[in-house]
Amino acid sequence: MDKESVTIELRNLTTGYREKKQDIIVSNGLNAKLHVGEMTCLLGPNGAGKSTLLRTLAAFQPSIGGDVWLMNRNLKNYKNNELSHLISVVLTDNSRIRNMTAYDVVSIGRSPYTGFWGKLSEKDKKIVEKCLQWVGITALAERKMQTLSDGERQKVMIAKAIAQETPIIFLDEPTAFLDYPSKISMMLLLHRLAKALKKTIFLSTHDLEHALQVADQIWLMDRDKGLTTGLPEDLCAEGKIEEYFMREGITFDRATCTFGVQHDTAREVIIEGDKDSLEYKLVCKAFMRNAIRPVDTCENEDVKVTVPGDGTYRLWEYGKETVCVNKIEHIIGITASTLVKTHIKAVRDAANMTQYE
Amino acid sequence: MEKENSSVLSRTIWIVLTIIGIAVMFIVNVAVGSVSIPLPDVVNILLGTDVSDVQMGEIWNNIVFKSRIPQATTAVICGAGLSVAGLEMQTVFRNPLAGPSVLGVSSGASFGVALLVLLSGTIGGTAMSRMGIYGNVALTVGAAIGALTVMAIIAAVARKVKGNVTLLIIGVMIGYIANAFISVMKYFSVAEDVHTYTIWGLGSFASVSSGQIGLFALLMAILIPLAMLLVKTLNLLLLGENYARNLGLNVERARVLIILSSGLIVAICTAFCGPISFIGLAVPHLCRGLFRTSDHRILMPASMLVGALLALVCNLIARMPGAEGALPVNSVTSLIGAPVVIWVLFKKR
């Protein structure tokens, strides 16, 4: 990465709050860089200091130590109205903005450029309309903020940030409160903006998987482990993601950068079929969820499932005829009668739960 | 675009209607009162031509120029001022329940008046109520000193305190302290003085004499335009302090300026008219409903005009045309204002 592309650089930065008696340090020794045209996601558990870092970078609160370099100049030496041309923000809790139309909110994004009365010029109006269009909310322009959904409101604030025409946009948890598909489309939108408009986009989020799939750079943050930055794939390869996020019951697939649930398995069952087929994988998943581990061979071959790949599933039990069904639910239902007792016991043992009696 | 044009049109219509309303109500306020003057004669008096009844001419002339016109003018100025101040408070605190009195400024005025009225009888030995016109001037001065002191305290606190809610609570607390002192003083005062204080507390547009009105008008002619200069700041604050700061606004300075602007307006209005409740709270809501916008470039002048109109209407009702005596303006503003706000809120749904 060449030097030209660096927009923000953290040099041994310490964030926290200034108190009368003693400063409260949230995180220290932070070193990292943000680049133009890239979307960087800040990940970390609650209380890791993500918001404090964002607030410090946006100059909402002073740093306790170290420096932030913004466009090759110390952040401390910028005036408020200079910063309004360089950094725009999208904050959480936009629900308190009421009685304004989406258009009004986006046009306030133009205020660093408008005159004393804040009147929009023809050029300003064109920019506002363009921003609404980029974010895909032209149809919502005349709607009042309180009538919009969380995702729509978030998009209005993003349009406001673009209207501000700053090279850098900070977003504090833009995907919080959104439903699953909206989270993904929000990430994709931001990524597209970073590329198309050559912006430096920096956001905090808890949506780890989406961030790993969409972001250009990842910053991992933790109170104890500090800050680690890098390409999502590098962080996966180095095992950093596991280091920051692994807990009991979670599995992580480094190749696809996805998380899974680790099941306690109590016994095994043989499953035959094309291992690359979707049906085979789904049958395996269903058994895993029921604490039964799919295997190729096992000692007591009393149950065997075959997945021929024609939309049917065959189940053979010792001493019984082969059953052919067309829903996974049915095999699980039949097998469960044989295996359910061991399953419940296994779950109980694993979680150390005793039944209330 | 079409929609935008239609809303501009409806706003213009509302503004024009309000201005016509103010003109009509002003004339009705001048024409109607406990002494009945025939309407053609009112016009004659205003134009300076001869009236039909020569005997009554001098008296009518006095009533119109020394009483009714100052009173109507006071209502216009006070209504406009309080509405602008209320709008500023609601925006800076992002609280729809904030009004001009929320920071304890009018309580400060009451405290100043109470100190003057109640202590002069108890300590000085002369009841204020016997002092006539000098007493009236003294009341204005007392109220102004009390209100400005509280406002100075609040402005100083606003520079230190970070949170808006904290500031709001401090304002309300100062109001409580002032009211507590007033209660104590009332308890130890002569009945006559308590009565004078109570009358002042009911508010009146009639208490500004034709001599004082020039000063009142001059002060407000400076302060209201100054408040207008804050429209962009107020628009930015609609998004909240953090967004406003990010858009280049010096939030701390803006907050002090807005508090000074609205505090001074409230202090002066209260000094001249006594505490007038509700107009400052209700009019901004009314305007948001009528003009369907939160843009202060429209809301500010709209509040000013609608506030003036509402004050004129309240003043007219308070004088109960056709009956002897008058109702306290303060009760009328609430009686008229509250249902109007409720109606607007329902209509908006």
Side-chain angles (χ1 to χ4, degrees), chain A residues 39 41 184 187-188 191 209-217 232:
Chain A
M39 173 173 132
C41 286
I184 295 171
M187 286 280 195
L188 289 173
H191 190 251
E209 261 186 37
H210 306 149
L212 290 174
Q213 287 184 47
V214 183
D216 298 305
Q217 290 278 331

Side-chain angles (χ1 to χ4, degrees), chain A residues 319-337:
Chain A
K320 287 185 189 169
E321 269 186 40
T322 305
V323 187
C324 184
V325 293
N326 55 11
K327 267 190 189 282
I328 300 174
E329 188 183 351
H330 297 139
I331 347 168
I332 295 290
I334 297 162
T335 8
S337 62

